[in-house]
Amino acid sequence: MRLFVHREEHANPEAIEVDGSSTVGDLIGRSGLQEGGDADVTAWLEDADEPLDRGVTLDTAGLVDGARVHVARRKKIEVSVRYAGETKTRDFGPNVHVQRVFKWAVGESGFDLAKVERAKHTLAVCGAETEADRYAHVGSLASDGRLCFDLAPKARYQG
């Protein structure tokens, strides 16, 4: 089966071919993140709340052809969102999409924007001149376990 493996500080996933009888631990070993014997590296199915068990096979873990997996040293990424002079911070798993962060940031637990205003805004990595890819994993964008976004008007990024 073909899997798309996202890693820390790598914007694009790597497509790899694996056998369903391989274990999650085997997949972690192929990621290149275990150099130096780091036993804390985990694998996460995209948008899951908990990492996968290293000892189970990929088939048992529910991975299918085309699945997206995030391999990371950190289990949490501290995400900050800045808007209108305020900053809200929350931890997310490294496998969480930017879109999920956006929903939190504009929702009741974040800045609680009205639906009309939500539609007019997007997230951009702090200091970047482009809109963040809503399907990117926060762990792929984070540096040193932290990530900062600006909740900005979409008009700023449209031609």
Side-chain angles (χ1 to χ4, degrees), residues 80-148:
S80 299
V81 179
R82 305 183 307 193
Y83 175 70
E86 289 186 56
T87 302
K88 304 268 183 175
T89 303
R90 179 181 160 198
D91 289 344
F92 287 93
N95 59 326
V96 169
H97 287 134
V98 169
Q99 183 64 24
R100 188 165 156 194
V101 173
F102 177 79
K103 287 180 182 178
W104 162 75
V106 299
E108 197 173 295
S109 298
F111 296 102
D112 199 18
L113 299 184
K115 281 190 176 187
V116 170
E117 288 302 308
R118 291 177 189 189
K120 295 178 182 178
H121 286 80
T122 190
L123 289 177
V125 175
C126 292
E129 295 183 20
T130 59
E131 181 177 359
D133 177 357
R134 65 183 175 187
Y135 297 111
H137 291 177
V138 296
S140 296
L141 301 174
S143 176
D144 207 21
R146 295 186 177 135
L147 180 59
C148 175

Side-chain angles (χ1 to χ4, degrees), residues 6-7 27 37-39 56 60 70 75 81 86 90 141:
H6 298 256
R7 294 180 298 154
L27 177 65
D38 189 350
V56 301
T60 302
H70 191 96
K75 294 182 180 170
V81 179
E86 289 186 56
R90 179 181 160 198
L141 301 174

